[in-house]
Amino acid sequence: GTPPANPAQPGTGRRLIQFGQGGNDRPYLRYGWLHDEPGGRWSDGASALVRIPASWLASPGLLVLSFLPDFREPDIVMKHKGMPLHCVYRDNGRMTFDVDVSDQIIDTFVEFEIVCSTVICPKDAGISNDERILGIHVRSIEIVRSGRLAVPAAWIEGIAARVGGVMSRIMRS
């Protein structure tokens, strides 16, 4: 079948962190990153940490991780406080995660760990003389407001009952 539509559509409330040469990633990097390269930055091994202003995540939203797709089809998990985030969409080189950290203090930072268990050493793989242990080559992280509101089930049921009643009257006419 066809993959589901990516819920992170361009719009207002977007925040973009570009990784690599010419990017704006340096203030957001914590541990586990190698030097910047054209088009992105590699994680140094299986785990790397970024920190994002909590004010960017004041309401539930989506975190879109763009990365260099490669032959390994990297096994990637995004974590907050040690817990994996729910991935709502994945295609070749992009993953979208649900994020709700609205309980954070607005003037602090929220830390996310990117874990790539399929690390590679280019020298060991016979690709080059590069002896680094590479995890994921991140191109960008984008925060997008999802625009979804939590709606109580009773409210949805009430609307469905009203619509059902209207449809019955229409069908009888």
Side-chain angles (χ1 to χ4, degrees):
T2 56
N6 188 340
Q9 297 300 319
T12 59
R14 297 172 65 195
R15 304 287 184 143
L16 182 66
I17 302 171
Q18 286 290 144
F19 283 65
Q21 291 176 354
N24 62 340
D25 60 338
R26 286 191 187 272
Y28 309 104
L29 302 177
R30 299 296 285 166
Y31 70 78
W33 296 102
L34 295 169
H35 62 277
D36 57 344
E37 297 179 359
R41 183 185 298 270
W42 284 101
S43 66
D44 185 9
S47 177
L49 198 70
V50 294
R51 71 183 215 161
I52 297 172
S55 61
W56 291 14
L57 301 158
S59 61
L62 301 168
L63 185 149
V64 182
L65 176 69
S66 297
F67 54 92
L68 179 69
D70 61 41
F71 66 92
R72 299 174 296 154
E73 296 184 22
D75 182 16
I76 300 165
V77 176
M78 192 78 147
K79 295 182 177 182
H80 173 61
K81 295 182 179 178
M83 298 298 295
L85 298 176
H86 174 66
C87 179
V88 295
Y89 179 80
R90 180 175 181 152
D91 66 8
N92 197 21
R94 180 171 291 181
M95 294 177 75
T96 302
F97 300 91
D98 265 329
V99 178
D100 184 0
V101 292
S102 52
D103 61 335
Q104 291 281 144
I105 298 170
I106 209 79
D107 62 348
T108 62
F109 288 88
V110 179
E111 291 188 342
F112 295 98
E113 181 183 16
I114 303 170
V115 179
C116 177
S117 62
T118 48
V119 296
I120 187 171
C121 174
K123 184 174 182 178
D124 291 348
I127 299 170
S128 71
N129 290 329
D130 187 347
E131 295 181 341
R132 299 176 296 172
I133 304 298
L134 306 175
I136 181 174
H137 188 266
V138 177
R139 291 179 168 170
S140 67
I141 292 178
E142 184 175 9
I143 305 297
V144 183
R145 289 190 195 135
S146 67
R148 289 180 271 157
L149 300 174
V151 179
W155 187 83
I156 293 172
E157 291 167 5
I159 293 293
R162 283 189 221 119
V163 169
V166 170
M167 291 304 291
S168 290
R169 284 191 292 268
I170 291 171
M171 297 305 282
R172 283 184 274 170
S173 310

